[in-house]
C-alpha cells in the first residue's frame, strides 16, 4: 500500500475516536484519556470545534442513533487505577463552543460501551474493566457487562435521575475489549476479557433475553470477527493477553475457533484495532503502544494461502483507530497516544 500521513493536530494522551453526524455533515471526534479536551473534526481533518476542555478520561464515544450530533461518552476513566468515578454522559450540541454535558449513569470503572439496535429498539451495553479496587494494580474484583434499553428521549437523565442497568455477565477479569460486529444482519458486541472472547447478541424483542456465545476461552485484550480469507466464515483476530504482545488469528474448524496464525514479532501493549475493508481487501489494522509502537495491517494472500502483515506507520503508539472512505480513498485516523498526535493516514492500493 501507498501511505500518506498527515498530522492534523496534537492532543495530550489522545485516546478515543468516534464518527459523528452533525448539522447534516459527517465529522469525527477525538478525545483524551487524561484531563484534556475533546475536539470535533470534519472529514478532511480540519478542527471545527472544542466539545469540552475537561474532565477527559474518555474511553468510548458513540452517537445517539438518529440524533443531530448528540452522543454518549465515558468521563473520568483516567487509567485502570484511577477510574472509580467513571461514568457515561450525554453530550448535546447547543451552539459552536457550547455542548451540554449531563450524566446518563455513574458506573465505576466503565471502560467500553456501545449502542446496539435490533428491531427498532436501542440498547446500551456497557463494560466495566473491574468492579472495584483498594490499591494500585488490584485485580481482585472482576468486571461486569451491563445493559439497558436506551429510551429515545434522554432529556430526563442527569445526576439525580440515572439510567438503571442490568448485569448481563459478571466475573469478567480485565474486561477490556469491545468491537461492534454485524453478524447475520444483527448488531452484536464482541467483548474480550481474561476469561475469553464472547459475542453478545441483543434480544429479538424488547424485554427478551440477551444471548451470549463463548468464542474462545483464551485470555484476550481485544478481538474482532472478520472474514479475511474470503471463505464465507469470519475469522477471529485477537490481541492477547490483557495489553499483551501477541497478535493471533483463530479460524472456526469443526465449529471451534482454533488458532491458525500468530504474528512473528512481539507487539508490546497491543491496543488499537480495526477490522473491515481496506483498499479493496478485508483487513485488520492493529496498533501497539510499547516497543516498536507500530501500526500494522494484516490481510490474507490467496495465492500463498498465508496471512501477511504490512507496516502502516512506525513509532506512533496508537491507542485507537477509526477508518472511513472519502473520495474513493481509504482513510485511517490514529489517536497516537504515546506521541500526543492525531494523524490522518491516506491509503491507496
Amino acid at each position: 500500500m501507498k501511505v500518506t500521513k498527515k498530522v492534523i493536530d496534537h492532543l495530550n494522551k489522545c485516546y478515543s475516536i468516534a464518527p459523528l453526524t452533525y448539522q447534516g455533515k459527517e465529522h469525527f471526534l477525538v478525545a483524551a484519556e487524561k484531563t484534556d479536551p475533546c475536539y470535533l473534526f470534519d472529514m478532511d481533518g480540519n478542527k471545527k470545534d472544542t466539545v469540552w476542555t475537561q474532565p477527559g478520561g474518555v474511553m468510548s464515544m458513540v452517537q445517539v442513533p438518529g440524533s443531530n450530533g448528540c452522543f454518549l461518552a465515558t468521563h473520568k476513566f483516567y487509567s485502570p487505577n484511577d477510574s472509580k468515578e467513571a461514568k457515561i454522559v450525554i453530550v448535546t450540541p447547543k451552539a459552536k463552543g457550547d455542548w451540554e454535558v449531563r450524566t446518563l449513569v455513574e458506573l465505576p470503572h466503565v471502560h467500553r460501551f456501545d449502542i446496539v439496535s435490533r428491531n427498532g429498539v436501542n440498547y446500551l451495553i456497557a463494560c466495566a474493566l473491574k468492579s472495584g479496587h483498594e490499591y494500585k494494580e488490584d485485580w481482585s474484583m472482576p468486571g461486569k457487562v451491563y445493559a439497558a434499553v436506551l429510551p429515545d428521549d434522554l432529556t430526563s437523565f442527569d445526576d439525580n435521575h440515572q439510567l438503571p442497568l442490568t448485569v448481563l455477565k459478571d466475573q469478567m477479569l480485565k474486561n477490556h475489549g469491545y468491537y461492534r460486529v454485524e453478524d447475520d444482519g444483527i448488531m452484536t458486541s464482541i467483548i474480550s476479557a481474561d476469561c475469553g472472547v464472547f459475542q453478545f447478541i441483543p434480544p429479538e424483542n424488547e424485554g427478551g433475553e440477551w444471548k451470549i456465545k463463548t468464542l474462545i476461552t483464551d485470555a484476550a485484550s481485544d478481538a474482532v470477527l472478520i472474514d479475511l480469507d474470503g471463505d464465507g466464515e469470519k475469522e477471529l483476530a485477537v490481541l492477547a493477553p490483557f495489553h499483551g504482545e501477541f497478535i493471533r488469528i483463530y479460524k472456526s474448524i469443526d465449529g471451534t475457533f482454533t488458532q491458525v496464525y500468530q504474528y512473528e514479532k512481539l507487539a508490546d501493549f497491543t491496543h488499537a484495532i480495526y477490522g473491515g475493508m481496506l483498499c479493496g481487501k478485508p483487513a485488520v489494522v492493529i496498533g501497539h503502544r510499547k516497543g516498536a509502537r507500530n501500526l500494522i495491517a494484516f490481510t490474507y494472500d490467496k495465492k500463498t494461502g498465508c496471512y501477511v502483515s504490512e507496516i502502516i506507520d512506525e513509532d506512533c503508539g496508537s491507542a485507537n483507530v477509526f477508518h472511513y472512505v472519502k473520495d474513493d480513498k481509504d482513510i485511517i485516523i490514529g489517536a497516537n497516544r504515546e506521541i500526543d498526535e492525531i494523524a490522518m493516514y491516506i491509503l491507496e492500493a
Side-chain angles (χ1 to χ4, degrees), residues 93-108:
K94 299 298 183 180
K96 185 174 177 62
D98 181 12
W99 297 67
E100 177 191 71
V101 179
R102 290 179 292 113
T103 299
L104 176 67
V105 59
E106 295 171 351
L107 184 57

Side-chain angles (χ1 to χ4, degrees), residues 59-60 74 77 86 88 107-114 124-131 142-147 165-166 168-169 172 174-179 189-193 198 200:
M59 299 290 102
S60 302
T74 45
F77 187 111
I88 300 174
L107 184 57
H109 315 289
V110 61
H111 184 254
R112 301 292 191 212
F113 75 85
D114 195 11
L124 177 75
I125 182 166
C127 308
L129 182 69
K130 55 175 74 172
S131 296
K144 300 175 183 178
V145 177
Y146 301 82
L165 302 177
T166 299
L168 295 182
K169 185 173 177 59
M172 300 281 283
K174 299 179 178 177
N175 182 23
H176 179 271
Y178 181 91
Y179 208 104
S189 302
I190 306 301
I191 296 176
S192 305
F198 305 87
F200 286 70

